[in-house]
Amino acid sequence: MYRQIADAIREKIKSGEYKPGEALPTEAQLREEFSVSRVTVRQALKLLIEQDVLNSVQGSGTYVKENKVNYDMYQYTSFYEKLSHLNVETHSEILAFEIKSPSLTIAEALQIADDERVFYVKRVRYIDDNPATLEETWMPLSLFPDLTYEVMRGSKYEYVEGQKKMVIDRSEQEIIPVLPPEEVVEQLGIAADQPIIKKITRGYLNDGTVFEFSRNYFKSSDYKFTLVAKRSQHF
């Protein structure tokens, strides 16, 4: 029964009925709502506190913790799609939108010649008014000659699939815990000694063409990374 109550509370959080930072109803109110004993209510709350969903403040009450974005490593989705399950507003602030020559490292990552040109886009991604991610992206000019500043204020994947009618197949991703570079400290408003997550991504179309190389810095306070790993069968 306490697990069912915990699930019901999770659903209320997901629907926005219980909002991040707000106090839950009292134990007495929850007891009445679910028609269960005090012990059962306390077990449900204890479970959610242990799972980092709720936070208990002595003498004050039980509060909904701030949402963390669940970054499923097996789903190649956009920033907006990653947040679709949360009741939040999102937007991007463009810091740089340029056509330039790639470094040798970028040219190799995109599998293009050294003298080809690329789009370089730097943007801060916001969850509500919270700067959560600093992203740098490189895309071949030859593939996307009509890429615009306005497109990059939204979703580049919607542009690639919707406007360009290209089929995105897969990505290769590398996750590294690091201390934040100076620019990340400034743009995300974090302490220089706060560890963050650096993610390097190379995206492929269904014909094997590399269409993007990106570098993201995620605030560890806002994101969690999950994956499902299966063990191969040994006979």
Side-chain angles (χ1 to χ4, degrees):
M1 179 60 72
Y2 77 84
R3 289 175 180 165
Q4 292 176 22
I5 294 170
D7 288 342
I9 292 173
R10 282 194 201 92
E11 283 302 312
K12 288 177 182 287
I13 294 171
K14 185 176 180 180
S15 70
E17 183 174 343
Y18 297 160
K19 293 179 172 55
E22 292 186 352
L24 254 62
T26 64
E27 287 186 8
Q29 290 171 324
L30 292 172
R31 249 184 18 245
E32 183 176 346
E33 178 181 350
F34 294 106
S35 301
V36 295
S37 69
R38 176 181 297 176
V39 171
T40 302
V41 167
R42 287 184 174 178
Q43 283 180 304
L45 296 178
K46 181 182 178 183
L47 175 62
L48 293 172
I49 290 169
E50 289 178 354
Q51 293 178 341
D52 216 27
V53 176
L54 302 177
N55 182 41
S56 178
V57 179
Q58 185 70 31
S60 177
T62 304
Y63 294 82
V64 180
K65 280 204 166 184
E66 295 295 328
N67 287 321
K68 279 195 175 187
V69 179
N70 183 16
Y71 199 108
D72 186 344
M73 297 293 293
Y74 275 103
Q75 298 296 319
Y76 191 14
T77 49
S78 71
F79 176 72
Y80 302 100
E81 291 167 334
K82 284 279 192 289
L83 295 163
S84 62
H85 67 292
L86 301 177
N87 186 29
V88 296
E89 296 291 330
T90 61
H91 69 278
S92 298
E93 178 186 347
I94 307 293
L95 304 180
F97 183 84
E98 307 168 4
I99 296 175
K100 60 196 304 184
S101 298
S103 67
L104 294 178
T105 298
I106 298 301
E108 181 180 7
L110 291 174
Q111 297 178 356
I112 59 175
D114 301 350
D115 59 353
E116 289 193 42
R117 307 278 275 174
V118 298
F119 275 103
Y120 169 68
V121 185
K122 182 190 296 183
R123 49 188 183 168
V124 178
R125 321 302 298 273
Y126 285 80
I127 301 174
D128 290 327
D129 293 324
N130 171 40
T133 308
L134 177 66
E135 175 192 278
E136 294 177 283
T137 299
W138 294 263
M139 302 171 72
L141 177 62
S142 59
L143 281 180
F144 308 110
D146 57 350
L147 182 66
T148 65
Y149 179 96
E150 198 59 35
V151 163
M152 295 305 292
R153 290 187 64 191
S155 169
K156 63 177 177 278
Y157 298 150
E158 287 183 8
Y159 160 75
V160 171
E161 295 176 318
Q163 294 186 40
K164 304 301 290 183
K165 306 301 180 184
M166 297 176 176
V167 179
I168 298 174
D169 179 57
R170 70 189 192 280
S171 69
E172 296 174 352
Q173 302 182 56
E174 182 179 356
I175 304 294
I176 312 165
V178 297
L179 288 175
E182 184 177 344
E183 183 182 21
V184 176
V185 170
E186 178 183 347
Q187 294 295 339
L188 300 187
I190 57 177
D193 60 353
Q194 177 184 329
I196 60 170
I197 301 296
K198 176 181 177 181
K199 182 173 75 72
I200 297 172
T201 301
R202 184 157 59 169
Y204 292 83
L205 301 175
N206 64 337
D207 63 359
T209 300
V210 179
F211 76 94
E212 73 156 332
F213 178 76
S214 64
R215 183 165 56 216
N216 289 264
Y217 295 95
F218 296 93
K219 287 165 67 174
S220 54
S221 58
D222 295 327
Y223 280 84
K224 60 180 179 179
F225 290 77
T226 63
L227 57 84
V228 176
K230 290 188 176 182
R231 181 171 169 79
S232 60
Q233 297 298 313
H234 298 275
F235 299 99

